[in-house]
Amino acid sequence: MAELVYLNGWIGSFEDAYISVNDRGYNFGDGVYEVVMAYDGVMFALDDHLKRLAASAAAVEMDLPWDLQQLKSIAEDVLVKSSIKRAMIYIQVTRGTAPRNHFFEPDIRPNLLVTVRYAPETDPAMYREGVKVITHPDFRWQMCHVKTISLQANIMAKNRARRAGVAEVVFVLPDGTVTECGSSNIFIYQDGVLKTHPANNKILAGVTRQYVLQVAGSLGLDIKEEPFNVSELFKANEVFYTNTVIEVMPVVNVDGHVIGNGKPGPVTTQLHQGFITLRESLK
């Protein structure tokens, strides 16, 4: 088993992989990406991730020279060659390689990068005990629905969270509206209602978010995809966030405010178990 890199048709090790300093991803952050988890050697929701990759590319006016089936075949081939069963697959497309210039030529060919690594392990205690988070002003651009590699604001905010000794950062708009986290979507459960921000330009609507909402619907929960504010966040019975690698993470403290009884809530636990069951059924 080995971690592998695919770069424009070349496959090899991370140590042997190189790309030009004129790559627009390096110079401008001009690219889009997806992260996919593989369980037992099978990628979960790959089609959903690739559809979102294509949508992100279209949103930044990047023409992909591959169709989704070709991208799927490439990703599956690299995963098989790696022989890693529980893997994190990173798929990145930058606009291409050209001398540094804000303008780009219409015929520039994108660079395709696919990497397969061992998936990071999450401490089981985090799920049993829940985690702490902090809020932070949402100072990102107005196209958060595009999964772009330009992540400077997210990097700054998440590192502030790490320095504060907490697991994640929650973005809040000037009017107090909670949008999402540094690299995940956030949910609250209060008085029998599950809320999360609507899928518009203020958030990146996660693939895991999509499936958790599906599970919530199957459980008969009252779901509202609508904005909520910091006050609602603090007063919620349960809070959790979702992303591809973490899946469903219970939050027990926000900015020092204890959530519920300070322990992961039953609805959060039920949703995570339901997600795992659904994930396994789709292999």
Side-chain angles (χ1 to χ4, degrees):
M1 293 187 287
E3 296 187 327
L4 290 178
V5 175
Y6 169 100
L7 181 58
N8 295 332
W10 176 91
I11 298 179
S13 69
F14 278 83
E15 292 75 18
D16 294 331
Y18 294 94
I19 195 162
S20 170
V21 295
N22 279 327
D23 176 71
R24 289 182 62 89
Y26 177 76
N27 282 321
F28 295 109
D30 188 6
V32 295
Y33 77 102
E34 286 291 326
V35 178
V36 186
M37 277 290 293
Y39 303 89
D40 297 322
V42 179
M43 281 180 278
F44 173 67
L46 177 59
D47 289 342
D48 296 290
H49 282 284
L50 292 178
K51 287 176 184 176
R52 188 171 64 178
L53 182 76
S56 293
V60 297
E61 302 175 8
M62 184 189 302
D63 294 326
L64 299 181
W66 317 272
D67 61 32
L68 298 190
Q69 185 56 49
Q70 288 173 309
L71 292 172
K72 183 175 182 177
S73 296
I74 290 169
E76 289 175 338
D77 181 57
V78 183
L79 177 61
V80 169
K81 284 183 167 62
S82 77
S83 297
I84 299 175
K85 297 303 180 183
R86 187 175 184 277
M88 183 173 68
I89 298 89
Y90 179 82
I91 304 170
Q92 174 180 291
V93 182
T94 63
R95 197 175 303 273
T97 304
R100 188 183 186 282
N101 191 326
H102 283 73
F103 298 107
F104 56 83
E105 298 302 324
D107 60 348
I108 188 171
R109 181 175 176 83
N111 291 317
L112 173 61
L113 169 71
V114 179
T115 67
V116 177
R117 299 177 183 266
Y118 292 99
E121 297 290 342
T122 302
D123 184 353
M126 296 173 70
Y127 297 109
R128 292 195 307 268
E129 301 170 8
V131 300
K132 298 179 180 180
V133 302
I134 59 172
T135 59
H136 190 283
D138 195 341
F139 55 174
R140 301 170 300 162
W141 72 330
Q142 297 302 303
M143 292 177 63
C144 294
H145 62 292
V146 180
K147 197 169 177 67
T148 172
I149 63 175
S150 305
L151 292 171
Q152 190 69 65
N154 302 66
I155 289 167
M156 293 172 65
K158 284 183 73 71
N159 277 274
R160 288 171 184 170
R162 183 169 70 171
R163 290 195 296 272
V166 301
E168 180 60 292
V169 61
V170 181
F171 285 122
V172 180
L173 295 174
D175 67 357
T177 298
V178 174
T179 52
E180 59 182 344
C181 299
S183 57
S184 50
N185 294 119
I186 190 163
F187 293 72
I188 62 171
Y189 183 73
Q190 176 69 28
D191 298 330
V193 178
L194 183 68
K195 282 188 181 182
T196 191
H197 196 283
N200 58 22
N201 68 303
K202 300 298 183 183
I203 72 163
L204 177 72
V207 171
T208 302
R209 171 189 180 277
Q210 165 191 326
Y211 282 95
V212 167
L213 287 172
Q214 183 177 326
V215 171
S218 71
L219 295 174
L221 297 180
D222 185 4
I223 303 166
K224 292 186 178 179
E225 292 185 63
E226 64 181 33
F228 58 89
N229 60 35
V230 172
S231 177
E232 292 177 89
L233 177 64
F234 292 158
K235 296 176 182 177
N237 299 132
E238 300 182 36
V239 176
F240 63 89
Y241 59 83
T242 63
N243 70 25
T244 293
V245 177
I246 292 291
E247 297 180 347
V248 179
M249 180 58 67
V251 174
V252 296
N253 189 293
V254 182
D255 287 347
H257 297 264
V258 176
I259 302 301
N261 63 1
K263 298 179 181 179
V267 174
T268 301
T269 302
Q270 191 175 19
L271 287 170
H272 194 186
Q273 187 55 57
F275 173 80
I276 293 172
T277 300
L278 177 61
R279 185 195 77 202
E280 292 299 302
S281 72
L282 295 176
K283 283 184 179 177

